[in-house]
Amino acid sequence: MNLIIVESPAKAKTIKNFLGKDYEVIASKGHIRDLPKSRFGITVDEDTSHLVPTYSVAKENSAIVKEIKALAKKADTIYIATDEDREGEAIGWHIAHAIKKDPQDLPRIVFHEITKSAIKHALEEARSIDMDMVNAQQARRLLDRVVGYKLSPLLASKIQKGLSGGRVQSSTLKLVVDREREIKAFVPVEYWTMDTAFKKDIDANLISHKGDKISKMSIENESQAKAIETSIKADSFTISKIETKQRKSSTPPPFMTSTLQQAASSKLGFTPKRTMMIAQTLYEGVKTPDGTSGVITYMRTDSLNLASEAVAAVRGVIENRYGKKYLPAKPKTYNKKSKGAQEAHEAIRPTMLNFTPEMAQSFLKADEIKLYRLIYERFMACQMEDAQFDQQSIIFSGNENEYRASGRKLTFDGFYAVTGAEDKDKLLPTLKEGEKAEIQSLKPEQHFTEPPARYSEASLIKKLESEGVGRPSTYAPTVATLSSRTYVNIEKKQIIPTEMAFTVTDILEKNFANIVDISFTANMEEKLDEVSEGNVDWQKLLSDFYFPFMDQIAAGKENIISLKLAKPLGRTCPKCGESELLLRSGRFGNFIACSGFPKCKYTEQVDEEGNPAPKQENLSEEKCDKCGKDMVIKNGRNGQFLACSDYPDCKNTKSINVEEKISETPCPDCGGKISLKNSRRGPFWGCEGYPECKFISKFEPTTIKCKEKGCKNGLLAERTYRNKEVYECVKCKARTPREETK
């Protein structure tokens, strides 16, 4: 019996289907041996200055290690078949150590796709574990552990509990914060355009005035615009030049990890994390007409290479389906433009061209078919002919002014036959040189320059890739970490840094400039690549970073002024009657808390000056059903409700029976009356025309209309959100501070 050890159960199941009874396939379920979770796990050898990791098998992995050991004892040959990148290489090395085997005694097999032919070929081409790749992964793991375990506690002690810092995470956060700083510092610049149409609805752009070229920002103010408008109206125009040139739209390259995540985000609305989860399933194995098989190649790659066999196969399909005119004379090759070495051997492509997206509809889930179609069509397109256009240009010349109108016509669709054309033809009417041309409409328009756009998940990944920060396996987790740590919020696909992000970035810039420096982080990635190629010693790389960094940590402990607020107030806690009250800071601002926490959890709200806020509780006439004490009126997210005054000892609550009240604002949907109603979830505003009109709102709408794009019939309602007075649209829920609306 031969044993093959892979990473995932799905992959194990797929491979088992391809092999006979002579093979047993088992999954390690990822890393089974790693640095300990609860302690640093790294010591420094005083003689060599080397960083020595302490690896251990976690309790949750002990059962699978025991199972692998049992199978290994019976096996004639044990194959390590983990993923082909350096993370997979290291996992295989750890597996060997966990089952008490010499890693160099175990044959290592790699495959870029999980198909029967690929697995059999891999078994014939077994090699040894590559220790350079293993050491590159160890270096990355130890670097990240050093930064995470030493920097995160410092941030937590100086700013706020629960904060974290990381080698890639912190430099990525600085990118987001720097972009927000640009937006806040942006000063709009005024400029004007002369929106002009000649007869026959030909839109044209002014390109010169009195011999001076006109660019986007040339017309700076209204007076200049008016003077040019007067000149144009007094001018007479003829068609001085008609030109047609052939242009090409080049085929797109095949997908690698970053471009797949970007395309899935923009075209399918998938987050990077969601994209990678779906791609993992497609790679490891799904149902097909020929049984379970992987239908795409390995999805963590920064390579644009394609196997010659795959290219030959797709060229045959292109010729059969679309004809010879769609097939280039030679196969197309692509070069990677972003920084960093290629970790994998091939771009992402389908493994079986006969498993078309149309056929896949019957086997894949909805999200799987969407992503599979994207990958399949991109692979087909990358080996097809370019699309061709006729680019049309007409010059309208006057005595003082000159215009250009442009259009184009698709003459050969090329790869658009697969992907579809994104731009429609914009044809110009048939005209002749020397013809007179009259202006149909002329309208000067005022504009202001726009600030740079916030990053989306897709554009941030594109930026990280172009700067050489991180690698294919780190893009999605990095973005997810920033969100989970409340450093950023993602709203309408925009990544918006929180106040905490600015605070942390400011401190890191002053005290750990290298950690947040993009060039430093990218350079470290290049050094890790050199380790994997055997050109740099991994221990020297670690020691060169570790000792200066630990000096920075020591200096930070001394020099960084704590932002934690714990000011004694000289008052005894009214709840426990023993401990003193302190003024503290938290995620949502300052508050008063008992110094006896966690035994006593008494808190008070404070105003903007830090003084105890006046209690807003209003006693009601009702008594608590459970303890007999007074009930007070409180405000919740569903409106007002009754709560026991003895909270938290008594947590009884009741809804308030409201009297019907008619709003002065008509229903935004039908124009009828809306009134205050009661429900088991609290009071709400609803249309009197129910059930024909089903308008409801938690808050009474005003007559102020919502200005968000795409929001229909939206009205703003007054409410309090996180202790701030805001307007919230009853339709799209967009919130605006009341001061800004005024």
Side-chain angles (χ1 to χ4, degrees):
M1 185 267 288
N2 300 300
L3 178 64
I4 297 178
I5 306 172
V6 297
E7 289 181 44
S8 91
K11 189 190 295 186
K13 184 178 179 181
T14 304
I15 294 174
K16 179 66 176 173
N17 290 335
F18 299 145
L19 303 174
K21 295 180 180 179
D22 294 336
Y23 289 88
E24 185 65 47
V25 187
I26 190 170
S28 70
K29 299 178 183 177
H31 277 281
I32 61 173
R33 200 177 75 132
D34 199 0
L35 295 171
K37 294 180 180 179
S38 56
R39 55 191 175 88
F40 188 40
I42 300 173
T43 56
V44 179
D45 188 309
E46 295 181 1
D47 296 329
T48 62
S49 296
H50 287 177
L51 271 66
V52 182
T54 301
Y55 296 116
S56 61
V57 176
K59 287 183 180 179
E60 60 267 25
N61 295 329
S62 58
I64 190 66
V65 171
K66 185 177 180 181
E67 188 177 353
I68 295 174
K69 278 183 177 179
L71 289 171
K73 287 181 180 179
K74 304 175 185 176
D76 299 319
T77 306
I78 304 169
Y79 293 94
I80 299 295
T82 46
D83 290 344
E84 63 175 314
D85 54 16
R86 59 193 185 204
E87 188 80 14
E89 204 78 15
I91 290 174
W93 180 77
H94 281 296
I95 289 171
H97 281 287
I99 62 174
K100 309 298 182 184
K101 298 287 184 181
D102 185 340
Q104 298 305 315
D105 290 342
L106 304 184
R108 167 83 164 116
I109 61 172
V110 295
F111 37 84
H112 193 68
E113 58 188 73
I114 305 178
T115 58
K116 188 173 184 178
S117 59
I119 301 303
K120 288 189 174 181
H121 178 72
L123 289 168
E124 294 168 0
E125 299 291 330
R127 59 169 173 81
S128 299
I129 285 179
D130 187 332
M131 284 308 301
D132 289 330
M133 291 180 70
V134 172
N135 290 337
Q137 191 277 339
Q138 287 195 91
R140 173 189 281 277
R141 185 74 184 94
L142 268 61
L143 282 170
D144 291 342
R145 173 56 67 101
V146 168
V147 176
Y149 256 69
K150 300 301 181 181
L151 183 57
S152 298
L154 179 62
L155 294 175
S157 67
K158 296 291 185 178
I159 307 174
Q160 179 184 294
K161 186 179 178 181
L163 295 180
S164 71
R167 190 176 57 84
V168 176
Q169 170 195 321
S170 296
S171 58
T172 303
L173 181 62
K174 186 178 185 302
L175 283 176
V176 177
V177 168
D178 283 348
R179 177 58 60 87
E180 197 70 18
R181 287 170 176 164
E182 286 182 61
I183 294 170
K184 290 183 176 181
F186 180 79
V187 178
V189 177
E190 180 184 8
Y191 69 97
W192 288 70
T193 57
M194 309 303 294
D195 293 349
T196 309
F198 285 84
K199 284 197 172 178
K200 297 187 179 180
D201 294 321
I202 304 174
D203 294 327
N205 296 317
L206 183 66
I207 57 174
S208 71
H209 171 67
K210 293 185 177 180
D212 296 328
K213 289 185 178 179
I214 299 292
S215 64
K216 178 182 177 181
M217 305 292 292
S218 293
I219 309 173
E220 298 176 353
N221 51 54
E222 187 176 9
S223 61
Q224 289 181 13
K226 291 295 183 184
I228 294 174
E229 181 186 17
T230 301
S231 171
I232 293 171
K233 286 182 176 178
D235 217 340
S236 57
F237 295 89
T238 57
I239 298 171
S240 60
K241 188 177 181 181
I242 298 176
E243 190 176 37
T244 301
K245 293 181 179 179
Q246 283 195 338
R247 293 283 186 265
K248 289 184 178 180
S249 181
S250 299
T251 53
F255 282 130
M256 52 185 178
T257 302
S258 59
T259 51
L260 176 64
Q261 291 174 357
Q262 292 162 38
S265 175
S266 59
K267 295 184 178 181
L268 305 178
F270 291 176
T271 64
K273 182 178 180 181
R274 182 179 174 190
T275 298
M276 296 310 291
M277 287 176 64
I278 299 168
Q280 182 90 29
T281 301
L282 295 175
Y283 166 68
E284 291 181 345
V286 292
K287 290 182 179 179
T288 72
D290 300 322
T292 301
S293 179
V295 293
I296 65 168
T297 53
Y298 190 54
M299 65 286 155
R300 291 188 182 90
T301 173
D302 53 8
S303 170
L304 294 178
N305 295 334
L306 291 168
S308 57
E309 298 87 352
V311 172
V314 77
R315 283 173 62 82
V317 172
I318 292 168
E319 184 174 359
N320 289 334
R321 290 186 192 173
Y322 299 98
K324 284 189 176 181
K325 66 178 181 178
Y326 287 88
L327 188 67
K330 296 180 180 179
K332 292 193 173 186
T333 58
Y334 299 89
N335 295 319
K336 182 169 174 281
K337 296 180 181 179
S338 57
K339 298 178 183 179
Q342 296 178 354
E343 286 197 13
H345 302 298
E346 223 183 324
I348 304 170
R349 62 169 175 82
T351 59
M352 301 179 292
L353 289 170
N354 61 337
F355 189 59
T356 63
E358 292 72 27
M359 183 185 294
Q361 291 274 15
S362 304
F363 296 91
L364 303 183
K365 297 176 182 177
D367 284 353
E368 293 170 354
I369 184 61
K370 289 177 184 177
L371 193 66
Y372 181 70
R373 183 184 297 278
L374 205 63
I375 295 168
Y376 190 99
E377 292 180 350
R378 177 65 77 98
F379 177 57
M380 290 279 290
C382 82
Q383 291 302 317
M384 296 178 75
E385 282 283 12
D386 297 340
Q388 296 179 8
F389 297 87
D390 278 346
Q391 186 75 39
Q392 302 167 305
S393 180
I394 300 176
I395 303 297
F396 299 89
S397 297
N399 297 322
E400 294 185 339
N401 305 282
E402 193 171 54
Y403 279 90
R404 177 189 287 117
S406 299
R408 73 175 193 172
K409 179 182 179 182
L410 182 66
T411 56
F412 175 62
D413 56 357
F415 71 92
Y416 284 157
V418 171
T419 64
E422 294 181 359
D423 301 320
K424 294 182 179 179
D425 287 350
K426 182 186 176 184
L427 301 177
L428 296 175
T430 303
L431 299 170
K432 294 181 180 179
E433 291 185 7
E435 276 188 53
K436 288 187 176 182
E438 294 182 16
I439 288 180
Q440 180 176 300
S441 64
L442 172 62
K443 185 180 180 183
E445 282 283 343
Q446 183 189 39
H447 306 274
F448 291 92
T449 53
E450 297 286 337
R454 290 189 176 105
Y455 286 111
S456 64
E457 291 179 278
S459 63
L460 181 58
I461 287 171
K462 186 176 182 180
K463 178 68 174 176
L464 292 174
E465 182 200 12
S466 67
E467 295 288 350
V469 177
R471 285 297 178 262
S473 60
T474 66
Y475 297 140
T478 299
V479 176
T481 298
L482 293 181
S483 181
S484 66
R485 294 290 182 181
T486 66
Y487 283 139
V488 301
N489 294 318
I490 301 177
E491 299 177 8
K492 298 180 179 177
K493 293 189 176 182
Q494 293 184 323
I495 300 177
I496 306 171
T498 62
E499 285 300 318
M500 187 57 69
F502 285 92
T503 302
V504 170
T505 301
D506 286 341
I507 287 178
L508 292 178
E509 285 175 327
K510 293 174 184 175
N511 300 277
F512 299 89
N514 58 329
I515 296 299
V516 292
D517 181 58
I518 290 295
S519 300
F520 177 85
T521 308
N523 185 50
M524 185 62 73
E525 294 291 351
E526 291 176 1
K527 288 180 179 178
L528 289 168
D529 290 337
E530 291 183 29
V531 171
S532 68
E533 293 162 7
N535 299 326
V536 170
D537 180 73
W538 71 291
Q539 282 292 351
K540 185 178 186 306
L541 173 65
L542 286 171
S543 58
D544 287 349
F545 173 82
Y546 177 78
F547 293 104
F549 177 71
M550 291 308 295
D551 290 340
Q552 287 179 295
I553 291 290
K557 290 178 179 178
E558 293 291 326
N559 301 331
I560 299 175
I561 299 173
S562 177
L563 300 182
K564 283 190 169 182
L565 192 62
K567 178 183 175 183
L569 296 178
R571 289 196 289 129
T572 303
C573 174
K575 183 174 182 180
C576 68
E578 299 176 359
S579 302
E580 187 178 11
L581 292 180
L582 301 175
L583 181 62
R584 292 188 176 277
S585 64
R587 290 174 60 189
F588 304 110
N590 296 341
F591 65 99
I592 294 173
C594 179
S595 59
F597 181 85
K599 288 184 179 179
C600 178
K601 298 182 180 179
Y602 177 80
T603 61
E604 289 181 20
Q605 290 185 335
V606 296
D607 58 21
E608 293 181 358
E609 285 73 34
N611 300 316
K615 290 196 174 183
Q616 301 298 317
E617 296 178 348
N618 297 315
L619 288 175
S620 73
E621 296 179 357
E622 294 194 41
K623 298 290 184 181
C624 177
D625 312 358
K626 294 184 178 179
C627 69
K629 293 187 178 180
D630 293 329
M631 298 288 279
V632 293
I633 302 171
K634 289 184 173 288
N635 291 310
R637 66 183 203 177
N638 292 318
Q640 290 188 328
F641 65 97
L642 294 177
C644 182
S645 58
D646 197 29
Y647 179 86
D649 292 333
C650 179
K651 298 180 180 179
N652 186 30
T653 61
K654 278 179 72 175
S655 61
I656 297 176
N657 292 321
V658 298
E659 296 180 6
E660 186 168 321
K661 178 182 176 184
I662 305 296
S663 174
E664 295 179 1
T665 304
C667 174
D669 287 350
C670 69
K673 293 181 180 180
I674 56 174
S675 61
L676 187 63
K677 301 176 182 294
N678 196 32
S679 73
R680 62 185 181 89
R681 294 184 178 179
F684 68 96
W685 292 87
C687 183
E688 294 291 303
Y690 181 85
E692 286 75 18
C693 179
K694 297 182 180 179
F695 170 80
I696 59 170
S697 172
K698 289 182 183 178
F699 308 99
E700 181 180 6
T702 66
T703 56
I704 304 172
K705 293 183 178 179
C706 178
K707 295 182 179 180
E708 289 289 317
K709 289 183 179 179
C711 182
K712 295 181 179 180
N713 302 328
L715 295 177
L716 301 185
E718 295 181 357
R719 67 162 296 190
T720 301
Y721 180 72
R722 292 185 176 176
N723 296 323
K724 293 182 180 179
E725 300 296 320
V726 299
Y727 279 116
E728 180 178 284
C729 178
V730 299
K731 293 284 187 179
C732 69
K733 307 303 179 186
R735 301 185 191 96
T736 311
R738 292 193 202 172
E739 296 79 8
E740 292 183 16
T741 307
K742 290 176 184 177

